[in-house]
Amino acid sequence: MSALLSSDDLNDFITPGVACIKTVDENGGGSDRPQQQVEIEIDGTGQAIEVTKEGSATRLQKASISLADCLACSGCITSAEEVLVAQHSHKEFLNALKEHRDDKLFVASISHQTRASLAAALSISVEDTDRILIKLLVDKLGFSKVVGTGLGRKISLRQMSKGVISERFGDEFERPKLSSTCPGWVMYVEKTHPFLLPHMDRAKSPQQITGLLLKRLAAREYGVKPDQIYHLSIMPCFDKKLEAARTESDSQVDVDCVITPRELVQLLEDERIDVEALLSEAREDPKLWDMSNVYECLAPRNWLKPIDSWLNDEGSASGGYAFHYLKELANHYVTKLGVNEEFLKIQLIQGRNSDIYELELVNTESSESLGKSAVINGFRNIQNMVRKIKQPGKKVLGNARGRIANRRRQRETGKKDSVGTSVDPQKCDLIEVMACPDGCINGGGQISGPSNHISSKEWVNRVLKAYESIPLGTSIDSEELEQWVTKWLDEFTVCDSRLLKTRFRNIEPPKDTTTIALTSTW
Ligand code: SF4
Ligand code: SF4
């Protein structure tokens, strides 16, 4: 096995913090006991006890937090690890596989970033990575269906672009609309900046759209109920576990378990599967020589163009929402407003670092700007963006280190580029916001590079290169996609908001300001 594929740092996904800021009412908050003043003490055995004024003591139960309760604030040391590991882990998945081998069918969806991470770690092509994944899931673990998340992503891209364009040409468009496909960012808004919720676009993420489509289509093909289908999602970050745990309007579960590439490595180790041997087996298996045929065969019947689900989209490595919006906007100008396509160009306006940039649709004949979108990655840049939306027009100066670096850059380049001024949110129709620096290609569940040989930036570039080696899928146009989705919704009598729109929670912010301060540094 490659030295990179080590599970040593599997449990470092939650930054150590102080305490859970989520209040948990014991027994669901429904205690019948009369309210009285009590003190919490720790007894000689280390157990928490509740002592009344009269001196009677009751041993307290350990509080438990479900994934749906957790705010992803990175505030816990062990609780969230326990929660995550207990509810969405490779061990939980293996238990489910053993327990439900006879009464459930197992299906999987795999994200493009995950495939790129494994390909970079193993120094093999993405196609060979797919061979390994399919050999493992289908031949070794008995999965019935495996798809890429490309179809879910195309639907998500289309939904977001369509929604923003319709608002943009409507009466009350308030810039900017903010993408909501990154659960880390969504939970940050819900918990810390609920004033931004009206700005959040409601297009669902590829994971959740894929989950609903996959379960329903597989269930119909095998003549079983959707809850007899177990869906494993392989994603680049742990936040996707929290996204999967959010309740749907009909309380159905579209994603049963989320694991990351790092956990996949742990799974291989636990099952004593040697990855090099698996690769040789996969390469020698004639069934896996023609991968286009494999992708076709492993998708449920009526899946739209299965090969495209494994192909890529233009734009950022987080899905390309900002780019796709301008592409659809250009299409709107051509088809609805009669602008000549030849004069339309999308140009890049690089920000002060690779995690901030704008894209602009321009009419080269009239030099008119027809629309702008932006990409903002990482919480430091996000915090600057939030301040600018909150206080439009006010210069965001950033921290001292940022200001010094900025002054040095100005001296070196002779260019003025004050911190936080490279993207003006009020001028952008849509901002693609991703919690991880470098976006999803650098998700917290991706396999780390060999830190002693290569810098983390170089490693991310290597994973990005693998991601960009996935060919673009261009055979599904917006109209065909739209028709397929409408037909699917009709056939399964599902309302469009269930498939296409996410729901936000307005979470009461914690009242203990000490905890807020301690848990809100990025
Ligand atoms: S991440 Fe935050 S909300 Fe979630 S369990 Fe930890 S402290 Fe609680
Ligand atoms: S940006 Fe990071 S946290 Fe957000 S969806 Fe992508 S990998 Fe997950």
Side-chain angles (χ1 to χ4, degrees):
M1 181 179 286
S2 159
L4 290 184
L5 292 179
S6 147
S7 57
D8 291 351
D9 51 358
L10 265 179
N11 61 357
D12 67 355
F13 48 83
I14 291 287
T15 311
V18 273
C20 184
I21 61 161
K22 176 82 189 163
T23 51
V24 179
D25 286 351
E26 200 190 331
N27 302 327
S31 174
D32 293 334
R33 286 182 301 164
Q35 289 203 347
Q36 56 178 318
Q37 217 175 356
V38 292
E39 283 191 358
I40 310 289
E41 293 176 4
I42 305 294
D43 70 11
T45 64
Q47 283 283 330
I49 50 169
E50 186 184 84
V51 185
T52 63
K53 263 187 175 171
E54 292 73 40
S56 69
T58 319
R59 186 168 276 201
L60 291 172
Q61 296 302 308
K62 204 173 164 188
S64 70
I65 303 158
S66 77
L67 269 180
D69 294 325
C70 176
L71 306 177
C73 68
S74 299
C76 61
I77 300 168
T78 56
S79 315
E81 284 179 343
E82 278 179 13
V83 171
L84 294 168
V85 169
Q87 295 185 9
H88 279 263
S89 67
H90 70 285
K91 286 213 168 85
E92 186 61 26
F93 154 64
L94 287 172
N95 287 341
L97 195 63
K98 280 176 198 128
E99 197 180 323
H100 297 291
R101 205 175 276 285
D102 299 326
D103 60 357
K104 287 200 179 191
L105 288 160
F106 285 77
V107 299
S109 61
I110 309 172
S111 74
H112 298 52
Q113 294 87 357
T114 295
R115 295 155 66 210
S117 175
L118 286 162
L122 291 164
S123 301
I124 57 173
S125 67
V126 174
E127 197 175 74
D128 267 345
T129 306
D130 293 349
R131 283 193 177 91
I132 292 185
L133 288 166
I134 286 166
K135 189 84 194 156
L136 172 73
L137 293 169
V138 178
D139 286 3
K140 307 266 179 214
L141 304 177
F143 273 61
S144 306
K145 300 286 173 197
V146 183
V147 295
T149 48
L151 178 60
R153 179 152 93 178
K154 281 189 196 310
I155 295 172
S156 177
L157 285 165
R158 169 78 183 145
Q159 177 65 18
M160 193 177 297
S161 304
K162 204 171 79 171
V164 179
I165 290 171
S166 129
E167 283 198 42
R168 153 90 196 259
F169 291 96
D171 293 336
E172 291 172 5
F173 182 49
E174 202 182 331
R175 288 187 177 83
K177 293 304 283 183
L178 305 166
S179 66
S180 61
T181 51
C182 166
W185 154 242
V186 170
M187 278 180 275
Y188 175 65
V189 170
E190 289 177 328
K191 181 179 65 105
T192 318
H193 300 297
F195 83 95
L196 283 175
L197 287 174
H199 285 271
M200 299 290 278
D201 178 82
R202 289 183 59 208
K204 248 190 191 175
S205 75
Q207 169 174 275
Q208 296 307 116
I209 293 176
T210 303
L212 182 59
L213 296 176
L214 186 53
K215 276 204 169 191
R216 297 293 171 99
L217 283 168
R220 185 171 72 177
E221 185 172 332
Y222 292 109
V224 297
K225 292 193 186 128
D227 62 9
Q228 288 173 278
I229 304 286
Y230 184 101
H231 173 205
L232 174 74
S233 169
I234 311 182
M235 283 283 150
C237 64
F238 298 95
D239 302 55
K240 285 284 170 189
K241 297 169 193 266
L242 298 164
E243 181 180 85
R246 293 169 81 95
T247 44
E248 292 291 346
S249 52
D250 57 6
S251 305
Q252 292 206 354
V253 175
D254 297 332
V255 183
D256 294 277
C257 186
V258 180
I259 62 167
T260 64
R262 287 204 220 176
E263 288 165 293
L264 194 75
V265 172
Q266 183 71 63
L267 184 148
L268 290 170
E269 283 182 8
D270 289 359
E271 293 296 289
R272 296 202 167 78
I273 297 172
D274 179 69
V275 79
E276 302 289 352
L278 192 66
L279 176 61
S280 307
E281 255 184 81
R283 279 179 174 158
E284 282 160 22
D285 185 346
K287 287 199 307 297
L288 298 179
W289 286 349
D290 177 359
M291 286 306 282
S292 297
N293 186 45
V294 172
Y295 300 146
E296 290 271 5
C297 292
L298 284 177
R301 214 176 290 145
N302 292 332
W303 193 263
L304 178 63
K305 298 192 176 166
I307 298 169
D308 274 56
S309 279
W310 298 84
L311 300 180
N312 224 340
D313 295 282
E314 285 175 276
S316 75
S318 305
Y321 291 90
F323 181 84
H324 193 83
Y325 163 68
L326 291 187
K327 225 174 110 183
E328 293 246 2
L329 184 65
N331 189 41
H332 181 90
Y333 272 101
V334 173
T335 55
K336 301 274 191 308
L337 304 171
V339 175
N340 187 337
E341 192 176 0
E342 275 177 35
F343 297 123
L344 294 184
K345 189 179 163 203
I346 295 174
Q347 62 189 30
L348 169 75
I349 306 164
Q350 192 59 60
R352 65 192 160 83
N353 61 49
S354 58
D355 277 326
I356 306 182
Y357 57 88
E358 280 182 0
L359 297 167
E360 185 174 28
L361 177 69
V362 281
N363 183 331
T364 51
E365 190 188 32
S366 61
S367 302
E368 190 190 351
S369 171
L370 302 178
K372 270 188 180 180
S373 60
V375 171
I376 294 190
N377 295 326
F379 271 113
R380 284 184 192 282
N381 294 324
I382 287 174
Q383 282 173 323
N384 278 340
M385 177 196 75
V386 171
R387 277 185 223 124
K388 293 184 115 195
I389 297 176
K390 206 171 190 174
Q391 299 171 300
K394 192 168 176 192
K395 214 171 181 182
V396 178
L397 293 172
N399 59 22
R401 205 188 312 161
R403 287 197 295 274
I404 292 166
N406 194 39
R407 278 202 293 274
R408 191 185 315 127
R409 191 167 44 241
Q410 280 179 28
R411 272 202 307 276
E412 284 165 4
T413 61
K415 285 186 198 152
K416 271 203 162 179
D417 178 21
S418 62
V419 174
T421 56
S422 49
V423 165
D424 183 348
Q426 266 78 21
K427 291 195 175 141
C428 293
D429 299 344
L430 171 69
I431 304 182
E432 174 185 313
V433 190
M434 296 289 155
C436 298
D438 294 303
C440 295
I441 203 70
N442 188 29
Q446 300 278 70
I447 297 162
S448 325
S451 49
N452 42 348
H453 300 307
I454 185 170
S455 72
S456 56
K457 194 72 197 164
E458 276 175 273
W459 180 250
V460 170
N461 285 338
R462 207 178 280 185
V463 181
L464 187 60
K465 213 168 150 201
Y467 176 86
E468 287 171 349
S469 74
I470 302 171
L472 294 177
T474 51
S475 73
I476 304 175
D477 65 29
S478 304
E479 207 174 309
E480 186 179 17
L481 190 67
E482 196 92 3
Q483 282 170 3
W484 186 85
V485 169
T486 308
K487 190 162 171 267
W488 189 92
L489 292 170
D490 280 353
E491 278 179 22
F492 286 90
T493 53
V494 170
C495 71
D496 64 348
S497 60
R498 170 71 176 85
L499 177 70
L500 304 169
K501 293 181 185 166
T502 194
R503 300 183 307 157
F504 302 116
R505 301 171 298 183
N506 204 339
I507 297 167
E508 181 92 353
K511 293 188 175 67
D512 179 350
T513 49
T514 331
T515 313
I516 298 170
L518 283 163
T519 57
S520 60
T521 51
W522 280 286

